[in-house]
Amino acid sequence: KYSDDLFKLKGGRYWFSNGWNWPGIAALIGGTIFYWMIAYAFPQIRQNITAALPTIVFVALIYRIGMSRLE
């Protein structure tokens, strides 16, 4: 159920801080750094399980925490 605010360019319900979703950006940057750390600093983990799986969990947690603080 979406509201009509979805189509507003500014100030609608889905508008973030000046159009930027800072928790999303933090999750993107943090996830990239986390992936590099696992993939290159801990090659044993990368060989046994893919580095993507722990990164998915990490990014989801960062985003969930960041978005809960905005509410």
Side-chain angles (χ1 to χ4, degrees):
K1 294 183 179 181
Y2 294 107
S3 68
D4 293 340
D5 287 346
L6 178 65
F7 301 107
K8 283 187 175 182
L9 294 178
K10 290 186 178 183
R13 181 176 179 182
Y14 304 102
W15 180 257
F16 292 97
S17 176
N18 292 325
W20 292 92
N21 182 350
W22 291 111
I25 293 170
L28 175 68
I29 293 170
T32 302
I33 293 169
F34 186 80
Y35 178 83
W36 286 341
M37 285 176 29
I38 290 179
Y40 298 109
F42 303 104
Q44 298 84 11
I45 294 175
R46 184 184 63 195
Q47 290 171 357
N48 293 332
I49 61 170
T50 178
L53 296 176
T55 303
I56 291 168
V57 174
F58 180 77
V59 167
L61 288 173
I62 287 178
Y63 189 69
R64 175 70 179 144
I65 291 168
M67 289 303 291
S68 68
R69 292 181 181 199
L70 289 180
E71 295 175 350

